[in-house]
Amino acid sequence: MRRALPAVLLLLALTGCATGPSLENRGAVTAPPGDSHHLTIGSAGFTESDLLAQLYAQLLNRAGYRTSMITVANRELYEPALESGQIDVVPEYAATLADWLNAKTHGADATPVGSPDLDATMRALRGLAAPRGLTVLPPGRAVDQNAFAVRADYARAHRLKNLSDLGASGLRVRLAAGDECIQRPYCEPGLKKVYGIDVTGVDPKGVGTTQAKRAVQAGRDQMVLTTSTDATLDQFGLVLLADDKHLQNADYIVPVVNRSRAGGEGVTKALGRLNDVLTTADLASMNQQVDSWRRLPADVARTYLTDKGLLK
């Protein structure tokens, strides 16, 4: 992934001695929110994370902050760096991060705290983040969660708009997804239990991979597990079916900041402006511009913010 190796080496060197405030160091955790004017924005190294990091950086620059960027593809490295202040701001996903911090705090077998309920997920996430000196800023409308797509002509022929329609149709469905779909509650078991969909089998071709989409396009499978910001569905003649009963967890986009360096009102206000405009469809469109049109994330972010009146 672009620029990941240098960042990883840097963080390995830095985190050897500094891992952020311990859970017992309440003084560091409860100190007043800081407002450093030079902030490091972290990206997880994939297209959407790069785009979000660029959006954050450009909004913060507009608000008078100086920013630098760092890419670290591994949450096991960038989250401790966020705690210690080597990274100040990172775009994250509410339910995924809540479950990750929960496992880090309570062990790998801890009961998941992420859920389809955004309010409950945010309460759990903030409760886990605060003792680590992290502040989770408000989510906007954009969400990147698991989603299911079928062929557009298949949806038209059977009048399918959402997953409930598919369950009510009685159609037999072979699903292109990852191996774990057989056991994960949001995948095969959930489709059967929540929607009554007759899943006859899982074709292990991965989540949203080209191979998986081609299997559905060719009719070998009837549905594919992908994500709600997948920008390539049109290329394969696929459309998403709405998760109308909210099977999927609330993976809304949230900025997470180091409280002592970026927890002040200035950062919150600058990044909050994005919540007023950014939608899931906007994210999918920007992903497409980077992945299919080969535009640079910085240029796509700048155009988007300018078009929305957030940059001049």
Side-chain angles (χ1 to χ4, degrees):
M1 297 189 179
R2 293 190 304 278
R3 306 184 307 279
L5 183 57
V8 169
L9 292 176
L10 172 63
L11 288 178
L12 281 172
L14 292 174
T15 55
C17 299
T19 57
S22 69
L23 297 184
E24 293 76 22
N25 191 354
R26 296 295 174 179
V29 171
T30 60
D35 192 28
S36 173
H37 287 281
H38 186 184
L39 301 174
T40 300
I41 315 300
S43 165
F46 56 93
T47 296
E48 187 168 286
S49 189
D50 286 346
L51 280 164
L52 289 164
Q54 286 289 346
L55 290 166
Y56 291 0
Q58 292 180 33
L59 284 170
L60 290 168
N61 290 340
R62 176 72 175 81
Y65 294 89
R66 289 188 300 119
T67 63
S68 56
M69 307 282 292
I70 189 169
T71 301
V72 186
N74 190 323
R75 186 178 277 113
E76 283 75 10
L77 285 174
Y78 75 66
E79 189 278 332
L82 183 63
E83 289 187 29
S84 64
Q86 296 152 27
I87 295 175
D88 302 307
V89 184
V90 169
E92 264 290 1
Y93 301 89
T96 296
L97 182 60
D99 285 339
W100 192 87
L101 287 177
N102 190 47
K104 182 177 180 178
T105 302
H106 299 296
D109 295 330
T111 301
V113 294
S115 76
D117 185 328
L118 177 59
D119 290 339
T121 296
M122 288 297 294
R123 284 195 298 272
L125 173 55
R126 284 173 167 152
L128 290 160
R132 299 182 177 278
L134 305 179
T135 297
V136 183
L137 302 187
R141 291 178 288 166
V143 59
D144 187 354
Q145 59 192 172
N146 293 303
F148 297 91
V150 299
R151 261 177 30 184
D153 58 350
Y154 180 87
R156 286 193 299 270
H158 299 288
R159 299 183 179 181
L160 307 177
K161 293 184 178 180
N162 51 51
L163 292 170
S164 288
D165 292 339
L166 182 57
S169 73
L171 292 165
R172 304 183 73 198
V173 174
R174 179 172 159 89
L175 177 63
D179 291 336
E180 70 279 3
C181 178
I182 296 171
Q183 297 178 334
R184 294 286 174 87
Y186 66 79
C187 204
E188 181 182 353
L191 291 173
K192 290 179 174 179
K193 180 178 180 180
V194 175
Y195 287 106
I197 296 173
D198 184 7
V199 180
T200 61
V202 172
D203 188 3
K205 286 185 164 57
V207 179
T209 63
T210 297
Q211 187 182 24
K213 292 171 194 170
R214 284 179 176 162
V216 177
Q217 182 184 36
R220 295 190 295 273
D221 298 328
Q222 287 71 52
M223 188 162 69
V224 59
L225 171 62
T226 183
T227 63
S228 58
T229 60
D230 189 331
T232 67
L233 295 178
D234 285 348
Q235 299 173 24
F236 299 91
L238 306 179
V239 294
L240 292 177
L241 295 181
D243 179 22
D244 54 304
K245 292 184 179 178
H246 306 293
L247 171 64
Q248 303 305 320
N249 281 346
D251 258 331
Y252 283 75
I253 310 298
V254 289
V256 182
V257 304
N258 178 286
R259 176 184 170 87
S260 66
R261 289 183 49 80
E265 183 179 347
V267 170
T268 300
K269 184 176 180 180
L271 298 184
R273 299 175 72 200
L274 192 60
N275 287 351
D276 296 334
V277 298
L278 185 65
T279 66
T280 303
D282 291 342
L283 265 183
S285 175
M286 286 190 280
N287 286 338
Q288 182 180 39
Q289 292 176 57
V290 175
D291 290 337
S292 300
W293 304 356
R294 301 305 179 190
R295 294 188 64 197
L296 294 175
D299 294 339
V300 173
R302 186 177 301 107
T303 299
Y304 178 79
L305 293 174
T306 301
D307 288 347
K308 295 297 183 180
L310 300 182
L311 287 185
K312 295 182 180 178

